[in-house]
Amino acid sequence: MTDVTPAVGVVIAEPDPIALDWGKTALVIIDMQRDFMEPGGFGETLGNDVSLLASAVAPIGKVLAAARKSGMLVVHTREGHLPDLSDAPPAKIERGAPSLRIGDPGPMGRILIRGEAGHDIIPELYPFAGEVVIDKPGKGAFYATELGNVLKQHGIENLLVCGVTTEVCVNTTVREANDRGYRCVVIADGCASYFPEFHEMGLKMIKAQGGIFGWVADSVAVLKAMSA
Ligand code: TIU
C-alpha cells in the first residue's frame, strides 16, 4: 500500500505563516473584468482612474499559471446583472451620480451587464475551459451564487483570494468566506483599489487582531509555498 501524503505548503503570511493543504485549496480571482480594469466601463463611470488597478494583473497571472500547473481548483468571479436588470436592486442602480448607470449603453456594451464585452474577464487572465466562473449580482461572491456549493463539492477549506477591488469585492468576499469557515489568504500584490489608501487599509483590516478575517501574503510567498 502506498502512503498518500497530502501536499502541504507553508505560506509566509501576516499575521502568521499558514500551512495549506493544496488539495483543499482553491484560487479565487475576483472580478478581473474589463468593466473595472479598462476605460469606458463601470469603474470609470463611477469617476475612478482605472489605471490604478493594472498592478494586480501580473502577480495574478503568475499565481494562476502555478495553480493551473498544479491542478488546483480555479474560480473566476464576475460582478454583473441580467439584461432585464431583474437581479439589480434599484438601490444599486440609482446610487450616486455616475456618468453612465448600470444597464446604460457604453463603449464596451451595456454597463455591468452579463454577456456584454465590458462584463468579460480581461484577456490576460481569461478563464480556461473547465474553470469555474461565478456570476454574482453583489459585491460578495457567496451572495446569490452557487460558489458555496461548488467549494463544498470540491472539499475546499482554504482560499487564495486576489482581484479587484481590495476594499470592495475582495473584502466582502473574504468576510463572507471567513464566516463560512474558510481560511482565506489574500494575495496583497494581486489586489488593487482605485484608492491606494483603501488598498492598504483593506489588507490591514483582514490581518489585524490575529487575522480577524484571514491572512495576507505577497504573490512571491504564495508561489514559493506552491513550488516547495
Ligand atoms: N467600485 C469598486 O471599487 N468596486 C466594485 O464596484 N466592484 C468590485 O470591487 N468588484
Side-chain angles (χ1 to χ4, degrees):
M1 224 172 86
T2 319
D3 274 344
V4 180
T5 309
V8 175
V10 177
V11 180
I12 303 305
E14 289 185 312
D16 297 299
I18 175 170
L20 297 177
D21 178 341
W22 297 122
K24 296 178 179 173
T25 302
L27 173 64
V28 180
I29 305 175
I30 303 289
D31 300 359
M32 291 300 287
Q33 297 162 256
R34 300 182 66 194
D35 254 322
F36 296 104
M37 304 297 298
E38 295 184 15
F42 180 62
E44 193 177 77
T45 69
L46 298 175
N48 298 305
D49 173 2
V50 294
S51 72
L52 287 161
L53 304 190
S55 63
V57 177
I60 295 174
K62 287 178 190 160
V63 178
L64 176 58
R68 283 170 171 163
K69 204 172 155 199
S70 73
M72 183 182 285
L73 179 70
V74 175
V75 177
H76 306 258
T77 73
R78 301 186 296 202
E79 180 180 349
H81 297 284
L82 297 168
D84 66 1
L85 297 176
S86 57
D87 61 351
K92 182 176 182 182
I93 299 174
E94 296 161 3
R95 193 77 51 91
S99 60
L100 293 170
R101 289 195 188 273
I102 295 168
D104 284 351
M108 294 191 287
R110 294 177 66 202
I111 299 293
L112 216 60
I113 298 297
R114 294 182 194 174
E116 302 287 341
H119 177 263
D120 215 346
I121 291 173
I122 58 169
E124 298 95 312
L125 302 174
Y126 209 77
F128 279 1
E131 288 177 352
V132 178
V133 179
I134 300 286
D135 280 315
K136 61 188 187 65
K139 304 306 183 192
F142 287 85
Y143 169 68
T145 74
E146 66 279 25
L147 179 59
N149 286 337
V150 170
L151 297 177
K152 265 195 205 102
Q153 280 161 15
H154 286 84
I156 298 298
E157 296 178 1
N158 316 307
L159 306 178
L160 300 175
V161 186
C162 55
V164 296
T165 60
T166 316
E167 81 282 11
V168 181
C169 291
V170 172
N171 245 273
T172 304
T173 298
V174 166
R175 289 165 191 233
E176 287 183 330
N178 183 59
D179 278 351
R180 286 164 173 79
Y182 296 96
R183 299 176 196 91
C184 294
V185 178
V186 177
I187 304 170
D189 53 338
C191 297
S193 169
Y194 301 120
F195 304 87
E197 69 272 34
F198 292 174
H199 171 77
E200 287 307 316
M201 294 309 292
L203 297 175
K204 278 188 180 170
M205 285 178 193
I206 288 163
K207 68 188 178 187
Q209 305 184 67
I212 196 81
F213 297 121
W215 290 255
V216 176
D218 284 331
S219 60
V220 170
V222 172
L223 289 165
K224 208 168 173 184
M226 288 174 82
S227 68

